[in-house]
Amino acid sequence: MSTTSTPASIPKTAYLGPAASYSHQAALACFNKDEYDLEPQESIKDVFSSIQSATATYGVVPFENSTYGTVTFTLDLLVDRESKYPDLLVCAELYLPVHHCLVVVPQSPTTQTPGPTSSAPTATPPPPPPPPTSTPIPTAAIDSPPQPETENIIKTIYSHPAAFGQCLRYLSTHHPSARKIEVSSTSKAAELVATSPNSDSDPRSTDVIAAISSKLAAQMHGLRIAAEGIQDSDDNATRFFIIRNRHTSPSPSPSSFSDISSHGNKHSSSSRNHKKSLITFSLPHSPPGALADTLNIFRNHSLNLTGINSRPSLESKWRYVFLVEVLIPLSPPKPGEGMGMGMGGEGGIDEAFWEQLGEKTKGWKWLGSWEDGGG
């Protein structure tokens, strides 16, 4: 009997698809395709569901962008106001450089204008030149902003909301009148352009559609890059979280989560001496200074907050759930501390902190600890 492992024995990693999305690129940077089955999901919610149901061992989700800020879809799922994902933990992070392209379908050979050395057909006179607003899109890739003829005929642009937010300056300058349609991912936008019956490659068309996506997505779908590097910031980057189910064994793990965290980043010495933890809590709103008193607990325990977000609690109007990220110094654990799931030593933080947090809040939840990626 053969002892060859079956596909079912290969751990699965879920990511926001389709293939060639930035989440896919982050997953490829983290997980060896020979050791993990990378499975695209339709939405970030689907990634969370696959982790909660333990149908995937790991998930890769975008959390925040250096230009656009926090990804609200992910934030809402982490806050988990309806308790749909009680077993989810963050176990690593990855910083991925993000460079956007404006992509369109290539011109059809039957519709390209003859070049200077081409001879016109003898049987049929050439068509009259198109009006200025319908000049053909150049066939060569453009590294600088597109030429006026490109700007004039692109009427619709597809992309993810975060990608639109990262390219505001370019869009307002070159395509202020184009209709922007939001889709689930940048690679989905490229796929839609490549397969849409309205993707008319005729240079005389007045309704050419485009997408904002990665160069990889353009190559995968056979699209032409009309403009490259259109993001507002040259050092644009997105931070991704690697998530898992707390009841699922993390083994076999990727080569090293510390290597994952350091992928493509320059670590400072201070970042390499810390871990991060993610914590959510809600507050009673009657006592004045409830939030300030709660944050003082972090200060009193020498926990540096690196981020704080809030989302409506949905319990009543103007009530919120807070999500904070803290730095935890890497030091030998004291007795009773560690990475266990009990009150004592949650995430490597001493028990007294959690007791005090429980006294000041209506409730709290620890969402995991991981090595600081230093992005």
Side-chain angles (χ1 to χ4, degrees):
M1 180 180 294
S2 173
T3 59
T4 304
S5 59
T6 63
S9 67
I10 301 176
K12 294 180 172 59
T13 295
Y15 67 89
L16 175 62
S21 66
Y22 290 107
S23 293
H24 185 205
Q25 295 176 49
L28 289 170
C30 296
F31 299 93
N32 188 324
K33 291 191 297 182
D34 295 332
E35 299 175 358
Y36 290 86
D37 182 10
L38 304 184
E39 292 193 340
Q41 305 295 314
E42 289 288 333
S43 67
I44 297 174
K45 181 179 179 180
D46 291 337
V47 178
F48 273 67
S49 295
S50 68
I51 298 301
Q52 179 58 38
S53 65
T55 56
T57 304
Y58 294 103
V60 181
V61 294
F63 178 67
E64 66 176 339
N65 176 264
S66 58
T67 303
Y68 186 69
T70 307
V71 180
T72 307
F73 304 108
T74 304
L75 181 60
D76 281 339
L77 294 166
L78 287 169
V79 168
D80 193 22
R81 291 161 293 196
E82 298 178 356
S83 298
K84 292 183 177 180
Y85 314 104
D87 301 321
L88 185 139
L89 292 178
V90 179
C91 56
E93 65 180 15
L94 167 77
Y95 292 84
L96 183 76
V98 173
H99 303 293
H100 293 300
C101 301
L102 184 74
V103 300
V104 296
V105 294
Q107 284 180 295
S108 165
T110 61
T111 59
Q112 290 181 358
T113 303
T117 59
S118 301
S119 59
T122 56
T124 306
T133 57
S134 302
T135 307
I137 302 175
T139 55
I142 306 171
D143 293 331
S144 57
Q147 300 299 317
E149 57 267 24
T150 306
E151 300 170 24
N152 290 335
I153 63 176
I154 291 179
K155 303 299 183 183
T156 304
I157 303 175
Y158 292 87
S159 200
H160 187 273
F164 283 129
Q166 294 162 35
C167 303
L168 290 176
R169 188 181 303 117
Y170 170 83
L171 292 172
S172 62
T173 301
H174 300 284
H175 301 284
S177 301
R179 183 170 57 139
K180 284 78 174 178
I181 298 181
E182 297 179 354
V183 295
S184 59
S185 70
T186 54
S187 57
K188 184 65 175 180
E191 178 184 288
L192 287 171
V193 169
T195 59
S196 172
N198 295 325
S199 309
D200 195 344
S201 57
D202 188 336
R204 290 162 290 187
S205 172
T206 58
D207 191 22
V208 171
I209 65 174
I212 294 175
S213 75
S214 66
K215 181 183 291 187
L216 178 62
Q219 294 170 344
M220 177 172 290
H221 293 288
L223 298 173
R224 185 175 67 80
I225 297 175
E228 188 172 353
I230 64 173
Q231 68 281 349
D232 291 344
S233 175
D234 289 339
D235 61 353
N236 188 45
T238 295
R239 179 161 67 131
F240 291 84
F241 280 162
I242 313 301
I243 59 177
R244 69 174 181 88
N245 188 303
R246 68 179 69 207
H247 300 301
T248 301
S249 172
S251 179
S253 63
S255 56
S256 168
F257 272 141
S258 62
D259 291 341
I260 288 175
S261 293
S262 63
H263 177 80
N265 303 301
K266 296 180 179 179
H267 289 262
S268 65
S269 58
S270 60
S271 71
R272 299 297 286 178
N273 294 325
H274 290 82
K275 280 195 173 184
K276 290 179 179 178
S277 263
L278 207 59
I279 303 166
T280 65
F281 59 83
S282 57
L283 296 172
H285 281 255
S286 53
L291 178 57
D293 290 343
T294 301
L295 296 182
N296 274 334
I297 299 173
F298 290 86
R299 183 183 64 180
N300 294 339
H301 287 267
S302 301
L303 297 174
N304 184 27
L305 270 67
T306 57
I308 181 168
N309 289 278
S310 65
R311 297 297 294 158
S313 69
L314 304 184
E315 295 177 353
S316 59
K317 291 185 296 185
W318 322 126
R319 299 294 184 264
Y320 299 92
V321 179
F322 296 90
L323 184 145
V324 298
E325 187 177 57
V326 299
L327 283 179
I328 307 171
L330 287 179
S331 58
K334 299 176 183 178
E337 292 184 355
M339 295 297 290
M341 298 311 302
M343 276 285 292
E346 200 86 276
I349 305 174
D350 64 87
E351 184 176 353
F353 167 83
W354 298 111
E355 292 176 348
Q356 294 169 24
L357 188 65
E359 293 171 358
K360 291 293 183 181
T361 64
K362 291 175 62 178
W364 59 265
K365 183 180 179 182
W366 174 69
L367 291 176
S369 295
W370 63 94
E371 185 175 331
D372 179 15

